[in-house]
Amino acid sequence: MSSAIIAVLTGDLIASTDQKASVVDTAMGRIRVAADPVAGWPGNSDTRFTRFRGDGWQVCLAAPQYCLRAALFVAATLRADDIRMETRISIALGTADSLGTADLSDASGEAFQLSGRQLDSMSRTARIALTGTGIGDRDRIIARQMFERASRWTQPQAEAMALYLHPDNPTLNDIAERLGITPQAVNYRLGGGGAVNLRTNLQLWEEVIEDELAKRHA
């Protein structure tokens, strides 16, 4: 078993039984699309996106400090679409025995167990839960506050936030070019979404978690 700490994100779509199968498939496709670029974030590798039980999904992060950013990125990507579906996300930091063979369906270890069990215990109204190595009540409060803000993003705000959340800190011009709008319009969207405070707080939290995990691994 590796002693390295990873992050596992396990989620399921909310009220998926009320939707057509095609809508659920589209939502899962959007989550897969969100998981792909996360693999290119610093210190990460293949997130091994895996779909479970129709409306369930799971990814893993080799750089666990990015777990909240990745969860917000998934939420923003879904909210930016017009399918109007949301997902609950259970995050766990811990070790892994195996990352599975073809995908995470046969993965095993502490992080996978904690993430899955936590999702099962989440209330239907909850959107985010956080547990595992180095995680305390402070971190859970921070996660809930961030997701409470994200739950109020409009579709245009979420579209801009999904780009803004990249760890490379894209500029207004970068985002404007991707969206085909003016930098002023991007600034308006991000301002309404509380982008600056969110990104600053994310960066601070990531630094604290990375330092905490490094000390435990030393």
Side-chain angles (χ1 to χ4, degrees):
M1 182 174 100
S2 172
S3 61
I5 301 298
I6 67 168
V8 173
L9 280 64
T10 307
D12 59 10
L13 295 173
I14 297 168
S16 62
T17 56
D18 298 333
Q19 300 290 341
K20 295 179 180 179
S22 60
V23 174
V24 173
D25 288 344
T26 298
M28 295 300 289
R30 296 304 296 159
I31 296 173
R32 179 188 289 274
V33 166
D36 286 345
V38 173
W41 292 1
N44 269 332
S45 56
D46 185 6
T47 58
R48 300 177 69 79
F49 171 87
T50 304
R51 183 174 178 176
F52 294 100
R53 300 189 302 271
D55 70 346
W57 59 273
Q58 192 170 67
V59 298
C60 64
L61 276 65
Q65 68 271 21
Y66 289 124
C67 62
L68 271 183
R69 187 185 294 265
L72 285 164
F73 182 56
V74 169
T77 301
L78 268 181
R79 188 168 283 268
D81 210 314
D82 60 5
I83 56 175
R84 302 190 179 187
M85 291 204 73
E86 295 182 283
T87 183
R88 300 187 305 162
I89 303 176
S90 167
I91 304 172
L93 273 62
T95 56
D97 296 329
S98 167
L99 297 183
T101 50
D103 56 27
L104 297 177
S105 59
D106 58 345
S108 62
E110 175 189 40
F112 294 98
Q113 293 171 0
L114 288 173
S115 183
R117 289 172 184 168
Q118 182 175 237
L119 182 68
D120 290 339
S121 66
M122 286 174 66
S123 71
R124 299 308 301 179
T125 58
R127 296 294 179 268
I128 188 69
L130 185 60
T131 192
T133 304
I135 299 299
D137 290 340
R138 170 206 63 190
D139 307 294
R140 298 183 182 96
I141 292 170
I142 290 171
R144 286 195 295 267
Q145 288 179 330
M146 287 183 177
F147 267 75
E148 192 283 326
R149 187 68 185 85
S151 71
R152 293 183 277 123
W153 288 338
T154 65
Q155 185 178 344
Q157 288 171 350
E159 188 178 39
M161 287 299 305
L163 298 173
Y164 187 77
L165 284 167
H166 194 285
D168 285 347
N169 297 330
T171 66
L172 294 181
N173 287 333
D174 294 332
I175 298 172
E177 184 175 349
R178 288 282 303 275
L179 297 180
I181 59 178
T182 66
Q184 291 78 11
V186 171
N187 190 51
Y188 179 77
R189 292 187 187 188
L190 294 177
V196 174
N197 283 339
L198 180 61
R199 189 158 77 177
T200 299
N201 291 337
L202 263 178
Q203 290 171 335
L204 290 172
W205 185 81
E206 289 164 357
E207 290 171 4
V208 170
I209 290 296
E210 186 174 18
D211 184 59
E212 171 69 19
L213 294 180
K215 290 177 179 177
R216 288 171 177 263
H217 194 66

